[in-house]
Amino acid sequence: MMTHVATMALVGLILAPLGAPQETDGDAPKKLAEQFDAAFNQADAKALAALFAAEAELVDEAGNLYRGQDAITEILGRFFEQFPEAKLAREVEEFRLVGPSLAIEDGVTITTTSDQASARNRYLAVLIKTGDGWKIASMRQTAEEPLPTARDFLEPISWLVGDWVSEGADQNVSVSFAWSDDGNFLVGGYTIEQDGENLIKTNQRIGWDAAQGVIRSWNFDSDGGFSEGRWSTDGSAWVVKSEIVLPEGVTGSATFYLTPIDENRFLWSSLDRVIAGVVQPDVEVTIVRQPPAPKE
């Protein structure tokens, strides 16, 4: 059973090579492309399969092989039953005329269905000139790895998502993180309380800096201060080098360590703290995941 994306990819593979061959010998390849487009727009699997050579081979990105017009007709028919309004765009990267009756083309196809699901794949096509004109002799497709998204780069610290509280500290620290609506940032922050009174509340946004190739964070404090951090890992902890600006204009720096203990605990450390040139004491707090509230 072919998957949704694999089936889409297969049709993209078949449709892709019909543009470039019109440079080979006049109007015949161009007519083939027009016939193919018309048949595809009409969801006519039989007419599409007739544009392949009798023993043509089709290989999708999952490695499934379809040999001959009957097999191609069947798989195309199944596709059009499921996706009657599918559309395809293609990016031809190279077309090579190997001889008077042989051509090779490769590029990328993007197949999109009416529900906006899409598949992007690389293809390699072999075209031959027969007594009946140009035919598709062989097709092979491989899945193209998509470019990593901002979220992909943030996944290693996605364990922060959730609600956390400090354990055994003089001051109560509450920490909370969630994915932004667009999925490109981690947003949240922390609140420090003592004797039931809020000392400070910080909003934080963590994102991927594609220009610098690093994870970065921006903090905005309730007293008007702010800071910016650059994230890296030493293999056991996440290290955040931060530059700080206090509300009165004094600057400072600190290095924070987030060291996972297990899936429900991590150690938060603030070292190398310097404010206005004065070294500050280190801080270390164990943070534990807050269990969900009991259901009523």
Side-chain angles (χ1 to χ4, degrees), residues 105-125:
E105 180 180 317
D106 60 78
V108 175
T109 63
I110 304 95
T111 310
T112 307
T113 59
S114 58
D115 61 1
Q116 300 306 307
S118 63
R120 182 181 176 92
N121 298 277
R122 299 201 63 81
Y123 71 87
L124 178 67

Side-chain angles (χ1 to χ4, degrees), residues 37 70 170 234:
D37 291 346
D70 289 344
D170 294 335
D234 62 7

Side-chain angles (χ1 to χ4, degrees), residues 39-79:
F40 186 88
N41 291 332
Q42 296 171 14
D44 191 337
K46 187 174 181 179
L48 282 171
L51 303 178
F52 288 79
E55 298 299 321
E57 289 189 349
L58 222 61
V59 181
D60 66 23
E61 96 287 352
N64 299 307
L65 172 64
Y66 306 91
R67 180 180 288 114
Q69 291 182 343
D70 289 344
I72 294 171
T73 301
E74 180 181 357
I75 189 59
L76 285 172
R78 281 161 39 194
F79 175 85

Side-chain angles (χ1 to χ4, degrees), residues 162-166 173-176 263-265 287-293:
D163 298 320
W164 306 77
V165 293
S166 59
V173 181
S174 301
V175 182
S176 181
E263 64 180 9
N264 294 315
R265 292 185 301 162
I287 307 293
V288 298
R289 191 179 297 276
Q290 188 172 30

Side-chain angles (χ1 to χ4, degrees), residues 124-279:
L124 178 67
V126 177
L127 309 179
I128 59 172
K129 185 178 181 182
T130 70
D132 295 327
W134 284 91
K135 299 285 184 179
I136 304 166
S138 175
M139 295 277 190
R140 180 174 293 273
Q141 182 165 277
T142 56
E144 182 177 70
E145 291 294 328
L147 293 175
T149 64
R151 180 166 181 148
D152 292 331
F153 287 109
L154 294 178
E155 277 296 336
I157 60 171
S158 62
W159 55 269
L160 283 170
V161 171
D163 298 320
W164 306 77
V165 293
S166 59
E167 181 181 67
D170 294 335
Q171 297 174 336
N172 296 323
V173 181
S174 301
V175 182
S176 181
F177 278 100
W179 288 104
S180 62
D181 291 340
D182 52 32
N184 291 322
F185 297 90
L186 284 172
V187 294
Y190 56 88
T191 301
I192 300 176
E193 297 179 345
Q194 189 168 23
D195 299 328
E197 181 180 350
N198 283 355
L199 298 182
I200 193 167
K201 183 175 182 179
T202 295
N203 293 317
Q204 186 175 66
R205 180 173 288 257
I206 307 173
W208 173 250
D209 184 340
Q212 300 296 322
V214 297
I215 295 174
R216 294 177 66 183
S217 57
W218 298 267
N219 291 6
F220 302 94
D221 300 331
S222 56
D223 63 3
F226 60 91
S227 63
E228 179 180 338
R230 290 172 175 261
W231 293 54
S232 62
T233 180
D234 62 7
S236 61
W238 284 93
V239 183
V240 186
K241 298 285 188 179
S242 293
E243 300 294 328
I244 303 165
V245 178
L246 298 182
E248 60 270 25
V250 174
T251 61
S253 62
T255 302
F256 300 99
Y257 290 82
L258 286 71
T259 307
I261 300 172
D262 55 39
E263 64 180 9
N264 294 315
R265 292 185 301 162
F266 70 91
L267 188 64
W268 181 85
S269 307
S270 178
L271 310 179
D272 304 324
R273 299 170 66 216
V274 178
I275 301 295
V278 178
V279 176

